[in-house]
Amino acid sequence: MDPVSALPSNVTIDIFRKLPLDELARCMLVSKLWYYSIDRWNILWRCIDKTTWSNMPTSLLNVRSLEHELDVDILGDNRYLDKPEKRFLRFLQDSELWNMVRRAGPALKKLVLEFELQITEAGFHSLLHFGCVNLRHLDIHANGNLRASMIGEIIARAGPCLETVALVAVGIDNSNVRDILLNAPNLKHLDLSYCMDLTFDAFPSFLSENTSHGDDIAWDSRYLALLMHPSNPHGTVVLPKLACLRLMHCIKIDNMAVSRIIETFSGSLRTLDVQKTAVTIQGLYSVLRAARQCGYKAVERPGSGIAEASLSPSLALQSLNIQYSDFVSNANVLGANMSRDPELSPWTVADFAKMAPKLTSIYLGGRNSYINDEFIEQLAQGLPGLLQVSICESERLSDRSLLSLASNCPKLQVADISRCLRFSDAGVIALVQACGGLKYLNLSVLAITDDTLAVIGDSLRNLKSILLKHCMRVTFDGIVALVEGSNGLGCQFTLQHLSLADSSNASEVREWCQRRLSSDAIIC
């Protein structure tokens, strides 16, 4: 019995919808009936996402090997844990994209093109030609063929429905960002990482001191007059309520950009990622200052020194990443040498913590000598709800910082404390014993011994990933204590990733772990 001819169309569609597009293309080779049925059911083609494909259609040859980096991001991004070690893929061609977009038409909801280097403007033009005006998710990575003008046309056509836009390593400029914000009122997630030409002028500012001057300004008076804002209640355009903004490796993004971003999206922005940019530790001051200028005030519980509530508008920030940014130009991070607005009280880390009481993730690490123990103490005392923290490569930190995190932040789940050469067994053990919910732990290049691993094996029942790169004092016995614990349980049932690169007896330990841990665990 042929299911396509025997079953009702809605039942057949529900079956086919469970298949990725590469498998759907194989089904089209069964017969003419299958081919034309699948070709005309545009709902089956509403999601074009090659990252979900298991294999390429038989008509696509010239297979190439694409190796994924398997080292787990200790900051919680473990996207590669569930992916195979190698995937055999091939670049899409313009004609193939045209065929898929033609079949989807206005039903297309999601388009993900990661590292599709052979898709040209002709291929992207299919989105305009077939009326894909209902796109909700647009994700384009590393395509040098996509010009700013084409991006502008796509955004102008599909903007009203867009909720997620990721234009990573694409040649866009400040005016493109302006067009996205003006034409996509429902936008929630925006990723512009590796877009090297972006500056602070990509974002609007209503404060005269933050306003740009010149002939080539993205947000000039014409566009600012369109925006509805407390200072311009007669504006006709409402900016989207962004929840997530990523600007990784945008080397021209600086503290002024952070100030404008907070000023514009303070009530909705939950995640701000500006790692490896020109943002410095003073970016925390930019967050504080912009929030105060927007009217946000922290309220303290009597005697606690911790923010309890806020006045409108509320600073919704939950995750801030300025890791590996331009620390070289930082002044004293506790405010002694920092320029201040006369109307603002002296700036401290405690002030920042009170202004962002919902913050649960903060990443500050990266080859610097400006973050000290007092900084971490103020941060830990002001943010007891922290779940994720990175202070890697902070050369001035000692066990005093770990003890402060242990006593104030018991809910920690992710901790990157690698390359802090003054940390010892005592500090790490205190952190592990106090934070029993830790799932991801980076201890690379620390002078820890087997004693620390024994405590981890007995204390962390939910540990999923641990990095022990270049931990030369860790021995085979320590790894056994980590995996089995003193009671035979240890972390062997939860551990999914263990990195031992350049540690002592690494090859012997790796073979033993492969026998003890689950078959899908990554050991490197």
Side-chain angles (χ1 to χ4, degrees), residues 130-159:
F130 295 110
C132 300
V133 297
N134 296 310
L135 265 178
R136 295 183 180 177
H137 186 124
L138 178 63
D139 189 338
I140 301 173
H141 280 56
N143 189 293
N145 301 318
L146 185 58
R147 292 187 301 178
S149 57
M150 176 58 71
I151 294 175
E153 291 185 54
I154 294 174
I155 295 299
R157 189 77 63 88

Side-chain angles (χ1 to χ4, degrees), residues 56-102:
M56 293 297 291
T58 54
S59 60
L60 303 181
L61 305 177
N62 301 324
V63 175
R64 68 180 177 90
S65 173
L66 177 64
E67 297 187 8
H68 286 286
E69 175 63 48
L70 290 175
D71 202 9
V72 175
D73 184 344
I74 199 65
L75 303 179
D77 184 4
N78 56 339
R79 294 172 294 173
Y80 300 128
L81 277 179
D82 300 326
K83 293 187 178 181
E85 189 166 330
K86 290 185 179 180
R87 300 180 67 193
F88 296 95
L89 305 174
R90 186 186 68 83
F91 289 124
L92 281 178
Q93 306 298 316
D94 285 340
S95 59
E96 294 158 355
L97 181 60
W98 267 78
N99 282 331
M100 290 186 288
V101 173
R102 174 185 62 79

Side-chain angles (χ1 to χ4, degrees), residues 50 53 67 94 106 201 322 332 359 375 380 401 404 415 440 453 459 470 505:
K50 191 175 170 183
W53 297 4
E67 297 187 8
D94 285 340
D201 197 48
I322 58 174
N332 185 302
L359 202 67
F375 182 105
S401 294
S404 180
Y440 300 92
L453 299 190
S459 303
H470 304 282
N505 302 320

Side-chain angles (χ1 to χ4, degrees), residues 3 12 83 107 121 123 136-137 143 148 159 171 181 225 235 269 278 286 306 337 364 405 416-417 422 434 452 506 508:
T12 308
K83 293 187 178 181
E121 281 214 351
R136 295 183 180 177
H137 186 124
N143 189 293
L181 297 179
L269 193 65
S286 298
I306 300 173
N337 302 322
L364 302 170
L405 288 171
D416 185 351
I417 57 175
R422 298 176 63 187
T452 294
E508 178 186 358

Side-chain angles (χ1 to χ4, degrees), residues 257-511:
V258 171
S259 180
R260 287 187 172 205
I261 290 166
I262 296 300
E263 176 193 342
T264 306
F265 305 110
S266 61
S268 61
L269 193 65
R270 291 175 171 79
T271 299
L272 177 60
D273 190 342
V274 288
Q275 62 176 301
K276 299 185 179 180
T277 63
V279 176
T280 70
I281 286 294
Q282 296 185 41
L284 302 184
Y285 173 72
S286 298
V287 173
L288 170 65
R289 182 179 181 182
R292 286 184 173 178
Q293 289 173 330
C294 287
Y296 174 71
K297 296 180 179 180
V299 178
E300 298 179 5
R301 292 194 295 268
S304 69
I306 300 173
E308 179 183 52
S310 61
L311 302 178
S312 181
S314 173
L315 195 61
L317 198 63
Q318 297 177 2
S319 176
L320 177 64
N321 190 342
I322 58 174
Q323 186 161 254
Y324 288 96
S325 294
D326 184 14
F327 290 103
V328 177
S329 62
N330 280 307
N332 185 302
V333 295
L334 296 178
N337 302 322
M338 198 168 296
S339 59
R340 309 185 189 100
D341 189 302
E343 297 180 357
L344 299 177
S345 61
W347 181 84
T348 64
V349 179
D351 291 328
F352 166 77
K354 294 172 186 176
M355 194 61 67
K358 300 176 183 178
L359 202 67
T360 58
S361 303
I362 187 163
Y363 314 129
L364 302 170
R367 292 188 299 273
N368 71 86
S369 58
Y370 298 95
I371 297 179
N372 56 23
D373 289 329
E374 185 181 356
F375 182 105
I376 298 302
E377 286 179 344
Q378 290 190 23
L379 194 70
Q381 291 170 7
L383 299 172
L386 274 181
L387 300 178
Q388 301 182 14
V389 65
S390 173
I391 50 177
C392 64
E393 295 192 63
S394 299
E395 59 189 51
R396 295 181 62 187
L397 296 185
S398 67
D399 285 343
R400 175 180 164 190
S401 294
L402 296 183
L403 293 174
S404 180
L405 288 171
S407 59
N408 292 288
C409 305
K411 299 179 181 179
L412 274 180
Q413 297 180 5
V414 175
D416 185 351
I417 57 175
S418 61
R419 302 178 184 272
C420 296
L421 302 183
R422 298 176 63 187
F423 288 169
S424 67
D425 280 327
V428 179
I429 288 174
L431 180 68
V432 168
Q433 289 177 332
C435 305
L438 279 169
K439 297 180 180 179
Y440 300 92
L441 190 59
N442 190 348
L443 305 178
S444 298
V445 202
L446 297 189
I448 58 173
T449 65
D450 294 344
D451 294 339
T452 294
L453 299 190
V455 174
I456 293 175
D458 288 336
S459 303
L460 303 184
R461 287 290 173 263
N462 298 310
L463 187 66
K464 294 183 178 181
S465 174
I466 183 168
L467 275 62
L468 300 170
K469 298 179 180 179
H470 304 282
C471 293
M472 307 309 296
R473 300 176 65 185
V474 169
T475 68
F476 179 82
D477 292 336
I479 299 299
V480 173
L482 167 69
V483 173
E484 295 184 342
S486 60
N487 55 5
L489 295 176
C491 305
Q492 59 184 310
F493 299 110
T494 60
L495 200 60
Q496 299 176 7
H497 180 258
L498 173 62
S499 179
L500 302 165
D502 296 319
S503 299
S504 59
N505 302 320
S507 58
E508 178 186 358
V509 172
R510 190 177 297 111
E511 292 177 2

